[in-house]
């Protein structure tokens, strides 16, 4: 079971790019990297998932180096509405799906 | 309008009572899940079901029970055996058992 480490909190300003890094040194060969966003008193929302290199969608980009021991979620030009908790999950079986404490991102005006 | 619904949004019960939380999805997803979230913490998996009439325990199944008689529905019963039932309960579904899950709005249960 790959353990993940993320910063507890981050601050940013509107219009900036935000990069949240997650460490997962013991990631297994079959494991994927998945990121979720959660607003207070709401269910988490799937953002992006990747296995290696770079994945991009309309919301974010996910950068995964060749050794896969870390990953970086990149949010372009954040707005106040991006203030939320972001979770990094690593694994491939749902009964191993672990949400840690996440990274609390605060976007300031 | 597809999605996952959970009802009610807030639920209050007296200690010693069983309570059932509803979860319905019209996404035609095979897999469904129940999670629990305590203040300031991440989610923990209670039960999951990959197919009708089958379900598996997650990390914290003690004191909870589920059923999956229909593809669309996955109710969770919080029994009196659950020592700390007050929490935010989240239901999710996915096409198959994957990490890409769609979550409902949650039910906040308070037991006093």
């Amino acid at each position: 079971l790959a353990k993940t480490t993320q910063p507890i909190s981050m601050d940013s300003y509107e219009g900036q790019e935000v990069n949240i890094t997650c460490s997962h040194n013991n990631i297994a060969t079959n494991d994927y990297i998945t990121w979720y966003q959660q607003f207070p008193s709401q269910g988490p929302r799937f953002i992006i998932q990747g296995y290696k290199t770079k994945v991009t969608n309309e919301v974010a980009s996910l950068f995964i180096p060749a050794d896969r021991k870390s990953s970086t979620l990149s949010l372009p030009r954040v707005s106040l509405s991006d203030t939320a908790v972001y979770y990094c999950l690593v694994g491939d079986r749902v009964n191993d799906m672990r949400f840690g404490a996440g990274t609390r991102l605060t976007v300031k005006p | 309008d597809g999605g996952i619904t959970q009802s009610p949004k807030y639920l209050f019960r007296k200690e010693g009572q069983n309570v059932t939380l509803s979860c319905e999805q019209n996404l035609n997803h095979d897999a469904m899940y129940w999670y629990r979230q305590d203040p300031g913490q991440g989610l923990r998996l209670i039960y999951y079901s990959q197919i009708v009439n089958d379900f598996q325990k997650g990390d914290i199944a003690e004191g909870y029970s589920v059923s999956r008689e229909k593809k669309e529905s996955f109710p969770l019963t919080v029994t009196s055996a659950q020592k700390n039932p007050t929490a935010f309960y989240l239901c999710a579904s996915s096409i198959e058992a994957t990490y890409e899950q769609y979550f409902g709005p949650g039910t906040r249960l308070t037991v006093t």
Side-chain angles (χ1 to χ4, degrees):
Chain A
L1 188 59
K3 179 176 158 53
T4 59
T5 303
Q6 307 174 229
I8 293 173
S9 64
M10 293 181 69
D11 289 341
S12 183
Y13 290 92
E14 281 190 291
Q16 289 188 334
E17 178 184 77
V18 170
N19 296 310
I20 306 174
T21 297
C22 180
S23 297
H24 28 81
N25 290 320
N26 61 340
I27 188 169
T29 304
N30 294 333
D31 288 346
Y32 282 77
I33 299 156
T34 308
W35 285 82
Y36 278 85
Q37 174 194 55
Q38 185 179 29
F39 299 113
S41 297
Q42 294 187 27
R45 181 177 75 113
F46 172 87
I47 300 174
I48 198 165
Q49 183 181 77
Y51 183 80
K52 62 180 179 180
T53 63
K54 176 183 172 183
V55 180
T56 297
N57 62 23
E58 65 277 5
V59 176
S61 295
L62 178 59
F63 298 93
I64 306 168
D67 67 4
R68 305 201 326 124
K69 292 185 184 300
S70 67
S71 58
T72 299
L73 174 73
S74 181
L75 304 172
R77 297 179 299 281
V78 294
S79 65
L80 297 176
S81 62
D82 292 314
T83 293
V85 177
Y86 292 82
Y87 296 99
C88 165
L89 288 78
V90 173
D92 74 322
R93 296 183 304 167
V94 294
N95 55 341
D96 289 336
M97 196 160 160
R98 297 288 184 280
F99 287 80
T103 297
R104 187 171 299 275
L105 172 66
T106 302
V107 179
K108 302 176 182 178
Chain B
D1 189 21
I4 302 178
T5 56
Q6 292 185 243
S7 60
K9 190 170 176 65
Y10 299 95
L11 193 51
F12 298 88
R13 281 293 183 272
K14 294 290 188 187
E15 198 173 310
Q17 294 179 334
N18 291 355
V19 59
T20 297
L21 281 58
S22 167
C23 178
E24 304 278 332
Q25 55 99 358
N26 61 3
L27 300 168
N28 200 32
H29 286 172
D30 282 320
M32 296 187 74
Y33 314 82
W34 274 106
Y35 294 88
R36 168 187 172 135
Q37 187 172 34
D38 293 288
Q41 298 186 28
L43 284 67
R44 290 184 289 168
L45 182 64
I46 304 172
Y47 269 100
Y48 67 100
S49 167
Q50 298 187 61
I51 198 167
V52 173
N53 292 322
D54 185 59
F55 46 83
Q56 309 294 329
K57 293 182 179 180
D59 291 336
I60 55 167
E62 187 174 344
Y64 299 97
S65 66
V66 293
S67 63
R68 186 88 188 276
E69 296 176 2
K70 297 187 301 181
K71 187 174 185 178
E72 303 78 23
S73 178
F74 192 39
L76 173 75
T77 296
V78 184
T79 75
S80 56
Q82 168 51 233
K83 295 190 184 339
N84 297 297
T86 294
F88 187 43
Y89 289 89
L90 289 154
C91 178
S93 71
S94 60
I95 294 173
E96 53 185 8
T98 71
Y99 275 43
E100 185 174 349
Q101 298 176 10
Y102 295 83
F103 282 80
T107 291
R108 193 168 296 280
L109 173 65
T110 302
V111 177
T112 57

